[in-house]
Amino acid sequence: MHPSKHRTARTARTTRAALAILVGALPLTLAAAGTGHAATPAASTVAVAAVGLDDPAKKEIAMELVSSAENSSLDWKAQYKYIEDIGDGRGYTAGIIGFCSGTGDMLELVQHYTDLKSGNVLAKYLPALKKVNGTDSHSGLGSAFVNDWKTAAKDTVFQQAQNDERDRVYFNPSVKQAKADGLRALGQFIYYDAIVMHGPGSSSDSFGGIRAAAMKKAKTPAQGGDETTYLKAFLDARKVIMKQEEAHADTSRVDTEQLVFLNAGNFDLTPPLKWKVYGDPYQINA
């Protein structure tokens, strides 16, 4: 099985403090990394008038699209209990967005869960998660942690904690940036899927770096550019980065999913949607 078909993880992560800064200032900081063109009010208005990815129905579509690539299933809610070490050097990968013990966001998730519900079954692992952060070590975790994670996944508070961290670190910043760039629901999803895999930040292999590379090739709609031309430039830039890491080298989530919608001009991600990932067909009818 191709590693990406089982579960992918981000190539770049940041600390809680850095992410807090990023979430508040993402459009400004990433725009600075781009070409620096001023936004035009007309282009921005188009994006605001359309139904965004943060609309509940559109967000559900986004979750199912990502799950098809990350979990080979549209049932993203079944992934709260998911946990394994996929051998990518990031320790355990788990949950609905692939929180990793070696990159900090799993630690942040368990801390948030503990803030919401003290004395939960995972709280006792916080010291161990702090120690293994930045490594692929299982020290202080192991099978007991794996079993307790699956137990915690039945708790609606833990499910909410996963939703909260997904939105805070990945979904909200990507949608906010996409709207600032004048992109409709499809473009917002393209940004979200990229930040899920590559992580936030400004390095060349992160979401910010991919966006900056795209902006060197094409203007965003907010800069007066064509939406299709810009999104194709973004996807081209993303594929370059994907092919640099074995676990991400299969680019079908771009080629036979996102480009299918883009070439059809389905900027609002309107069902029915048909696509393939790693050769497997999927469909959302409504």
Side-chain angles (χ1 to χ4, degrees), residues 114-138:
T114 303
D115 291 342
L116 295 176
K117 184 177 182 178
S118 61
N120 67 73
V121 70
L122 296 179
K124 61 180 175 287
Y125 296 103
L126 280 170
L129 286 169
K130 290 177 182 177
K131 288 182 179 179
V132 302
N133 188 21
T135 77
D136 63 356
S137 173
H138 294 180

Side-chain angles (χ1 to χ4, degrees), residues 9-15 19 90 103 105 169-170 194-209 241 245 248:
R10 266 69 59 216
T11 57
R13 302 295 185 98
T14 55
T15 63
L19 284 169
R90 299 179 180 92
T103 59
D105 59 353
V169 180
Y170 303 106
I195 205 171
V196 165
M197 176 178 283
H198 304 285
S202 58
S203 61
S204 62
D205 61 350
S206 69
F207 168 74
I241 300 303
E245 186 172 354
H248 299 153

Side-chain angles (χ1 to χ4, degrees), residues 54 62 68 109 118 159 192 208 224 229 248 250 270 274:
D54 46 2
S68 73
L109 167 62
S118 61
Q159 294 173 12
Y192 173 58
T229 301
H248 299 153
D250 186 318
T270 303
K274 295 182 180 181

Side-chain angles (χ1 to χ4, degrees), residues 21-281:
I21 295 172
L22 182 76
V23 170
L26 186 59
L28 178 61
T29 55
L30 290 187
T35 58
H37 295 284
T40 59
S44 298
T45 302
V46 171
V48 172
V51 176
L53 202 67
D54 46 2
D55 171 81
K58 297 295 183 187
K59 188 172 184 179
E60 176 64 26
I61 288 173
M63 297 304 109
E64 293 183 15
L65 288 170
V66 170
S67 186
S68 73
E70 296 281 303
N71 306 103
S72 299
S73 168
L74 298 185
D75 188 4
W76 66 270
K77 292 180 181 178
Q79 310 310 322
Y80 290 114
K81 65 180 181 295
Y82 168 81
I83 182 168
E84 69 174 322
D85 188 329
I86 62 174
D88 62 353
R90 299 179 180 92
Y92 289 111
T93 296
I96 59 171
I97 210 67
F99 302 99
C100 295
S101 60
T103 59
D105 59 353
M106 181 180 286
L107 168 62
E108 293 168 4
L109 167 62
V110 176
Q111 183 61 65
H112 179 51
Y113 181 31
T114 303
D115 291 342
L116 295 176
K117 184 177 182 178
S118 61
N120 67 73
V121 70
L122 296 179
K124 61 180 175 287
Y125 296 103
L126 280 170
L129 286 169
K130 290 177 182 177
K131 288 182 179 179
V132 302
N133 188 21
T135 77
D136 63 356
S137 173
H138 294 180
S139 179
L141 301 173
S143 59
F145 176 68
V146 169
N147 291 333
D148 284 341
W149 180 282
K150 293 177 180 179
T151 297
K154 300 174 185 177
D155 183 359
T156 56
V157 178
F158 186 47
Q159 294 173 12
Q160 185 58 52
Q162 290 197 37
N163 293 345
D164 290 347
E165 289 299 282
R166 172 201 62 199
D167 290 348
R168 181 184 72 86
V169 180
Y170 303 106
F171 188 83
N172 292 344
S174 58
V175 171
K176 182 179 180 181
Q177 180 65 76
K179 287 185 175 182
D181 286 345
L183 301 173
R184 286 172 279 180
L186 174 58
Q188 293 166 33
F189 170 71
I190 286 173
Y191 273 22
Y192 173 58
D193 190 65
I195 205 171
V196 165
M197 176 178 283
H198 304 285
S202 58
S203 61
S204 62
D205 61 350
S206 69
F207 168 74
I210 293 170
R211 177 176 173 272
M215 292 175 71
K216 292 179 180 178
K217 300 291 185 180
K219 293 181 179 180
T220 68
Q223 296 168 340
D226 177 75
E227 192 167 10
T228 299
T229 301
Y230 171 72
L231 287 175
K232 285 187 176 180
F234 182 90
L235 292 174
D236 285 345
R238 182 183 176 188
K239 285 172 64 176
V240 170
I241 300 303
M242 290 176 71
K243 291 177 180 179
Q244 291 176 1
E245 186 172 354
E246 183 180 355
H248 299 153
D250 186 318
T251 60
S252 62
R253 67 196 293 161
V254 171
D255 299 325
T256 55
E257 181 191 281
Q258 294 169 38
L259 277 172
V260 170
F261 306 147
L262 182 58
N263 290 334
N266 194 349
F267 293 101
D268 294 318
L269 275 180
T270 303
L273 299 170
K274 295 182 180 181
W275 73 99
K276 292 182 179 181
V277 183
Y278 313 124
D280 297 334

